[in-house]
Amino acid sequence: MKTRYKVLVFLSLLSAITYLDRICLSVAGPAIQSSLGLRPEQWGWVVGSFVLTYALFAMPAAALGDRYGARKVITLIVLWWSAFTFLTGAAANYPMLIVTSLLFGMGESGGYPNSTGALSRWFPTAERARAVGVVWTAARLGGALASIIVVPILKAYGWRMPFYLFAGTGVV
């Protein structure tokens, strides 16, 4: 298999895992709210804090990829978001969940800009759109699979376990 297709497989897996992590928060949301005694507006801040830092840090993370290379930055991003996926599961209260969510969004924000940068270096112009389409399709598949994967784990082991498992998956 050509190296560029190995890169595409890796980036597709990365994309699927990012959506597993994101959707996991939504699926586990009611259990988290109940466990930590969160009001609906507090839960809104938890979810919104991820989106806020995700939006604010996408461009700086892309600039880091341009400066230091997508491989190094993506490696850092995966380790970062895996750590904060784990810490989401370890959150003991509302403030800890907010801080974790802010930092999680900050870390994950560079995933797509740097994946796209890597694809632009590994694929010729005529194949780039298809490669980006594969990566985005993998994200949607990861999102679709999240409920199927998360719900049984959540029912069997509680809301924290899916986060611990997905953190380990990211590191691997």
Side-chain angles (χ1 to χ4, degrees):
M1 178 187 288
K2 290 183 180 180
T3 302
R4 69 178 169 201
Y5 295 112
K6 290 177 185 176
V7 169
L8 182 59
V9 168
F10 170 78
L11 292 175
S12 295
L13 287 171
L14 173 100
S15 184
I17 292 168
T18 64
Y19 267 73
L20 279 170
D21 289 349
R22 289 181 204 181
I23 303 301
C24 182
L25 186 65
S26 297
V27 173
I32 296 169
Q33 289 172 293
S34 175
S35 174
L36 300 181
L38 302 179
R39 297 183 311 276
E41 63 272 12
Q42 288 176 307
W43 184 249
W45 281 104
V46 170
V47 175
S49 61
F50 172 89
V51 175
L52 175 67
T53 54
Y54 188 92
L56 291 174
F57 285 91
M59 289 179 58
L64 286 174
D66 289 341
R67 182 174 178 127
Y68 298 107
R71 180 189 303 190
K72 288 178 184 174
V73 174
I74 288 172
T75 300
L76 180 63
I77 286 168
V78 170
L79 294 173
W80 181 282
W81 100 54
S82 294
F84 286 98
T85 299
F86 183 89
L87 290 173
T88 299
N93 53 46
Y94 175 63
M96 185 176 176
L97 198 57
I98 287 287
V99 169
T100 300
S101 191
L102 286 165
L103 293 169
F104 189 178
M106 187 176 105
E108 196 171 296
S109 68
Y112 285 103
N114 283 287
S115 291
T116 303
L119 292 173
S120 74
R121 290 177 190 87
W122 281 98
F123 282 84
T125 304
E127 296 179 31
R128 245 177 245 161
R130 189 172 23 249
V132 170
V134 168
V135 169
W136 279 87
T137 298
R140 283 16 176 220
L141 288 173
L145 291 173
S147 293
I148 295 167
I149 295 169
V150 172
V151 169
I153 297 168
L154 192 127
K155 284 184 176 183
Y157 302 103
W159 71 266
R160 296 176 191 278
M161 186 57 68
F163 292 98
Y164 299 150
L165 293 173
F166 290 161
T169 302
V171 170
V172 170

